């Protein structure tokens, strides 16, 4: 959005999934502010139409490709995130494996995943054993703060600053 104060990024919940995700993200931003998080302009939780207004990141670099030293800065930012003590109580989940482990669900019924067209059935058949093994090795216990949705479209670079977006799955 363009405002008299300059551009901002606005997120609004419009269906049950986005309402829940956005209310959760607002809760995360209210509990902590880290250098790797976008600056919050305003936000309001609501059971029907939450709204979150963040700094405009459209002028940032969204890898790939990675600029010289960009990947090293991203890894350092993620390591700093993992070393940050999470706010008490905010990130406790009883169903953490059910929420975050997806390859078991895809193995049980790959129909929806294959319908995206992102991969072929042959690729999935070859990759699934490796992905299931990697997922089985994931330990979701401990006190490290995790973003839980790290991927290239949720990470941007603003000079030396590494910014992670979409914090609704943080644990």
């Amino acid at each position: 959005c363009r405002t008299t104060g300059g551009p901002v990024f606005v997120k609004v919940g419009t269906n049950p999934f986005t309402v829940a995700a956005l209310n959760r993200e607002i809760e995360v931003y209210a509990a902590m502010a880290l250098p790797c998080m976008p600056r919050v302009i305003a936000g309001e939780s609501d059971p029907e139409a939450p709204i979150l207004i963040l700094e405009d990141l459209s002028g940032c670099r969204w890898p790939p490709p990675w600029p010289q030293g960009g990947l090293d800065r991203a890894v350092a930012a993620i390591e700093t995130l993992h070393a940050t003590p999470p706010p008490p109580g905010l990130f406790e989940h009883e169903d953490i494996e059910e929420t975050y482990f997806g390859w078991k669900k895809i193995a049980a019924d790959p129909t929806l995943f294959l319908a995206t067209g992102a991969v072929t059935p042959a690729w999935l058949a070859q990759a699934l054993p490796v992905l299931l093994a990697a997922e089985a090795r994931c330990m979701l216990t401990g006190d490290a703060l995790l973003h839980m949705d790290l991927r290239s479209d949720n990470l941007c670079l603003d000079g030396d600053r590494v910014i992670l977006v979409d914090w609704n799955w943080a644990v």
Side-chain angles (χ1 to χ4, degrees):
C1 286
R2 300 255 178 241
T3 70
T4 56
V8 294
F9 182 73
V10 178
K11 297 172 85 169
V12 179
T14 59
N15 61 49
F17 177 80
T18 60
V19 164
L22 194 52
N23 278 322
R24 171 71 175 150
E25 189 168 7
I26 291 167
E27 182 182 19
V28 171
Y29 282 119
M32 59 187 193
L34 302 172
C36 64
M37 297 174 86
R39 285 185 287 282
V40 175
I41 309 301
E44 186 173 326
S45 294
D46 186 87
E48 295 180 17
I51 185 168
L52 178 62
I53 304 170
L54 302 170
E55 70 177 296
D56 176 36
L57 301 174
S58 61
C60 295
R61 184 170 188 157
W62 296 80
W66 290 90
Q68 182 72 29
L71 186 56
D72 291 336
R73 288 194 308 278
V75 169
I78 293 164
E79 288 172 347
T80 299
L81 170 68
H82 293 168
T84 301
L90 180 62
F91 302 111
E92 295 171 8
H93 291 284
E94 294 175 10
D95 62 343
I96 196 162
E97 286 191 26
E98 179 65 26
T99 301
Y100 297 103
F101 286 5
W103 293 113
K104 284 191 258 184
K105 293 176 192 174
I106 291 170
D109 183 4
T111 309
L112 290 176
F113 181 69
L114 290 172
T116 67
V119 302
T120 64
W123 181 92
L124 185 60
Q126 184 177 3
L128 199 53
V130 175
L131 295 167
L132 286 167
E135 185 175 81
R137 289 190 305 272
C138 290
M139 302 301 295
L140 295 182
T141 60
D143 57 2
L145 179 58
L146 305 176
H147 181 276
M148 293 303 286
D149 197 15
L150 283 179
R151 50 183 209 231
S152 62
D153 61 327
N154 280 344
L155 182 152
C156 66
L157 306 171
D158 186 17
D160 287 338
R161 185 173 168 223
V162 175
I163 305 166
L164 308 177
V165 299
D166 291 346
W167 284 85
N168 57 294
W169 284 23
V171 295

